[in-house]
Amino acid sequence: MNIIKHLGAASLLATLLAGCSLAPTYERPDLPVQTQWPENLAATPTDATGNTPAASLPWQEFFRDPSLRQLIALALDHNRDLRVAALNIERARSLYQVQSADRLPTLNLGVSGARQETPNDVAPAGKGGLTTAYNVGLGVTAFELDLFGRVRNLSGAALERFNATDEARKTTQISVVAQVAYSYEALVADERLLALARQTLDSRTASHQRQVSLRDMGASSDYDLRQSDSLLEAARIAVLQAQRQRALDENALVLLLGQPVPAALLPGPDTSWSASVMAELPAGLPSDLLTARPDIAQQEALLRAANANIGVARAAFFPRISLTGSFGSASNELNGLFESGSRSWSLLPSISLPIFDGGRNRANLGVAKADRDIAVAQYEKTIQTAFREVADALAGRATLGAELRAVQAQERAEQQRHDLAKLRYDSGEASYLDYLDAQRAWFATQQQTIRTGLAEVQNRIALYKALGGGWKDVMPTSGDQIVRKD
């Protein structure tokens, strides 16, 4: 049993010495952005939901439209990007397990048997004959004593890459949740635009028929009729454009869901589009993004992995010690393998010390340091991008609400002008051209109201996404229709 004791002692020594790591001490880079959001943008709305940060607010609580919540649940179950992200996690976990296995000795059970006949002419002392040998035992092959942390840092780098992959899955979920919401709200706008275009087409069709009758009676000119023709065709174009855009947005939603959209979940022209459909959010501080956004956590994990790889490259300059050994039983008779006196063992330690490598180790260290510096730059760029996305969404929140109210006021004014223009035209006080101009202006402001409303709603989604919301789920209860597993 001495060889087992020796191997165990060597493994224990390696474990104790593995505390020596040549990787530089990791320090998180300074925040490469302002410590506050731009002035007048970060005020918390008075109706914010308990000041709960977006990253801690499950999407089921942020989105209050039941149809949208069910669509998001379907996407999280069937979206192929999320499926790939989940499989990437399993792959990264397996790679980490493979790498971390090198920190422990690998024991193999070996059983062998051999029979050989040697002629007297070539046998030692001229005594040939038939020889038989049987062996059975445990063996350790090339187990490295990790004196300078090479194996430990390789395992640490693999662990950080696994962590980065897990954060990437969260980022993918945030994107899928936001994209489903974007597409759904776009469909709501499409339905309203299509209903408006059809209503306008009906109105202009009736008006055009009246112009045809007036022209036939000599009460109107060809010029007025051609103006009416133009408005009628413009309404047909608007209907076709709205139909096409609705089809495109539904196709985008089908791709996100990974399956056809259930007809019962599609929005209609009367789908609610009030501010209560989504919760208000506090902005917090820029430093909060470090823990709120998975894409930042992903880049920091990759930075830690690059930092550990420097320790791997530095360890290449130092000796590498490995052990190969076996313990078992050997006999020239099969039934004598485990009898007294058949014990056999071997211990083959080896050490390699780099003397001349043509600059390979130094170059590898340079590569590892450059990779670390690249990872720092990518980490900082990710933070800066996150800062901009939040600042953009805050700028939208600060202005889009007022813009929507102004557009709605303009629409009401144009409607009144249209009604007055029609009365004046019917009474002969205004020309048909004035009436057509009022029609065009009212239709344009109605379209603008819908589009501005869509921009305001989608900006709420963008802020939720930018603040790191969308990857946490609520725990399902027996009454929930949405069944999700993390």
Side-chain angles (χ1 to χ4, degrees), residues 372-409:
R372 190 269 314 274
D373 294 340
I374 292 172
V376 170
Q378 291 173 333
Y379 172 72
E380 293 176 340
K381 177 63 180 297
T382 302
I383 294 176
Q384 291 171 345
T385 300
F387 182 91
R388 183 207 166 162
E389 289 176 354
V390 175
D392 286 350
L394 291 176
R397 185 173 73 178
T399 58
L400 279 170
E403 180 181 345
L404 178 59
R405 291 189 293 273
V407 172
Q408 290 170 337

Side-chain angles (χ1 to χ4, degrees), residues 207-215 220 224 228 425 432:
S207 178
H208 180 265
Q209 291 173 348
R210 182 170 181 267
Q211 281 302 119
V212 171
S213 299
L214 290 174
R215 200 279 307 268
S220 180
D224 288 342
S228 179
Y425 171 67
Y432 185 63

Side-chain angles (χ1 to χ4, degrees), residues 141-462:
T141 303
F143 170 62
E144 181 176 344
L145 300 181
D146 194 23
L147 303 181
F148 302 100
R150 189 187 78 87
V151 178
R152 176 188 175 195
N153 282 314
L154 282 172
S155 178
L159 176 60
E160 294 299 341
R161 286 191 291 270
F162 164 71
N163 292 335
T165 306
D166 185 45
E167 298 297 336
R169 183 196 65 82
K170 297 177 184 177
T171 301
T172 302
Q173 176 168 326
I174 288 176
S175 179
V176 168
V177 168
Q179 289 300 323
V180 170
Y182 285 148
S183 297
Y184 178 82
E185 300 301 342
L187 276 174
V188 174
D190 294 338
E191 287 287 352
R192 295 188 174 193
L193 287 170
L194 182 57
L196 173 62
R198 285 172 173 165
Q199 178 185 353
T200 302
L201 178 59
D202 293 341
S203 174
R204 289 183 181 179
T205 298
S207 178
H208 180 265
Q209 291 173 348
R210 182 170 181 267
Q211 281 302 119
V212 171
S213 299
L214 290 174
R215 200 279 307 268
D216 291 343
M217 292 185 298
S220 180
S221 65
D222 286 342
Y223 182 80
D224 288 342
L225 182 58
R226 298 288 82 81
Q227 288 277 8
S228 179
D229 286 340
S230 177
L231 274 185
L232 180 61
E233 297 307 323
R236 285 198 179 101
I237 292 172
V239 170
L240 294 172
Q241 289 176 337
Q243 288 175 334
R244 180 173 64 253
Q245 187 60 51
R246 188 195 178 287
L248 295 177
D249 288 333
E250 185 174 347
N251 291 340
L253 190 56
V254 169
L255 178 61
L256 289 166
L257 265 60
Q259 63 178 32
V261 184
L265 300 182
L266 287 172
D270 57 345
T271 299
S272 176
W273 214 6
S274 64
S276 62
V277 171
M278 297 179 193
E280 288 286 0
L281 299 169
L285 296 174
S287 58
D288 296 337
L289 295 178
L290 299 182
T291 56
R293 298 232 337 187
D295 57 339
I296 296 178
Q298 175 188 358
Q299 290 299 326
E300 185 170 14
L302 294 175
L303 175 56
R304 290 179 180 274
N307 196 71
N309 284 335
I310 294 178
V312 176
R314 286 176 174 174
F317 290 91
F318 294 87
R320 185 181 301 180
I321 301 174
S322 61
L323 298 177
T324 298
S326 65
F327 175 83
S329 177
S331 174
N332 58 4
E333 297 289 343
L334 188 60
N335 57 8
L337 274 176
F338 301 102
E339 293 183 354
S340 176
S342 64
R343 183 179 62 184
S344 67
W345 61 270
S346 66
L347 178 62
L348 303 172
S350 66
I351 182 171
S352 63
L353 176 65
I355 297 177
F356 176 76
D357 60 8
R360 180 180 292 104
N361 287 341
R362 187 173 299 277
N364 285 334
L365 180 58
V367 170
K369 290 182 176 179
D371 287 343
R372 190 269 314 274
D373 294 340
I374 292 172
V376 170
Q378 291 173 333
Y379 172 72
E380 293 176 340
K381 177 63 180 297
T382 302
I383 294 176
Q384 291 171 345
T385 300
F387 182 91
R388 183 207 166 162
E389 289 176 354
V390 175
D392 286 350
L394 291 176
R397 185 173 73 178
T399 58
L400 279 170
E403 180 181 345
L404 178 59
R405 291 189 293 273
V407 172
Q408 290 170 337
Q410 183 185 19
E411 180 189 345
R412 290 191 294 270
E414 290 295 345
Q415 180 182 3
Q416 294 172 359
R417 183 167 82 95
H418 168 270
D419 295 342
L420 290 173
K422 186 176 187 303
L423 288 174
R424 295 184 64 195
Y425 171 67
D426 290 341
S427 65
E429 298 179 14
S431 67
Y432 185 63
L433 182 60
D434 291 338
Y435 175 50
L436 294 182
D437 181 66
Q439 278 188 318
R440 281 193 295 263
W442 185 30
F443 181 51
T445 55
Q446 286 177 300
Q447 290 178 312
Q448 186 60 35
T449 298
I450 295 173
R451 290 172 179 141
T452 304
L454 174 62
E456 196 274 337
V457 169
Q458 288 187 332
N459 187 76
R460 292 169 179 255
I461 301 170

